Amino acid sequence: MKVEVITLFPGFFEGVFGQSILRRAQEAGALEPCIHDLREFTTDRHGQADDYRYGGGPGMLLRPEPLFGAFERILSKAESRPLVIYPTPQGEPFTQAAADELARQRHLVFLCGHYKGVDQRVVERWVDREYSIGDYVLTGGETAVAVMVDAAVRLIPGVLGDADSARSDSFRSGGLDGPHYTRPDVTRGLRVPGVLVSGHHRNIERWRRATARYLTRRRRPDLIDNKSG
Ligand code: ADE
């Protein structure tokens, strides 16, 4: 999957794409990131990427011309139209289902807003999906892009080994995942629940389902209500 990011802060993504699963995905040929520095597409002498809002008020906006320039460059090199995503607190909630959709694409383009966001004409011309990663305001779209790329790339077949498979993730079954334990069976006087070391697979399955259901009911009753509604 080719993942292109338009950003004022290209250095942010060095760590994001340079570690762990996202790095392994590149080594395996499953992920090809390409970071575009928005500043390179500015057209005025000072390299100004932002400006005041028409109508007044505090907060700057990313100007349309550098963004249009970046999109036009990306599209001129693309074999087909990529899916374009704009992270914004005004977007639809980013969910596991949305991550599934992104994971199925061959080419994604993320547009990182800053300050008050971007000029709406850019959104109307180029953006296919607007997503929020939660009900809080970040300083820019970069952290949200890191979240979305991570959630999508780990779902690409072959990226995760069986050891860290995505099959049993929280949300796969509509609820949260339960607690897990590893060796040793006692540490600092704290014991692993007996059922997990009993070797009784049906009881282990039953315990895992019950603890997951309990946690979901306590912390995310909305997930249960959504399912029945
Ligand atoms: N940009 C700023 N805040 C955001 C949020 N909550 N989700 C996605 N993008 C954002």
Side-chain angles (χ1 to χ4, degrees), residues 86-89 113 131-141 144 148:
Y86 172 47
T88 162
Y131 283 128
S132 165
I133 63 159
D135 291 341
Y136 38 78
V137 179
L138 304 166
T139 53
M148 291 190 269

Side-chain angles (χ1 to χ4, degrees), residues 178-195:
H180 302 286
Y181 300 83
T182 187
R183 289 182 293 181
D185 62 345
V186 186
T187 177
R188 306 292 193 276
L190 301 168
R191 212 166 256 295
V192 170
V195 61

Side-chain angles (χ1 to χ4, degrees), residues 16 28 36 39 58-59 76-77 88 113 126 144 149 163 172 191 193 196 207 222-224:
V16 171
H36 301 274
R39 202 95 42 201
S76 72
K77 294 185 174 166
T88 162
W126 286 117
V149 170
R172 274 276 157 257
R191 212 166 256 295
L196 295 179
W207 181 88
D222 56 306
L223 294 176
I224 294 170

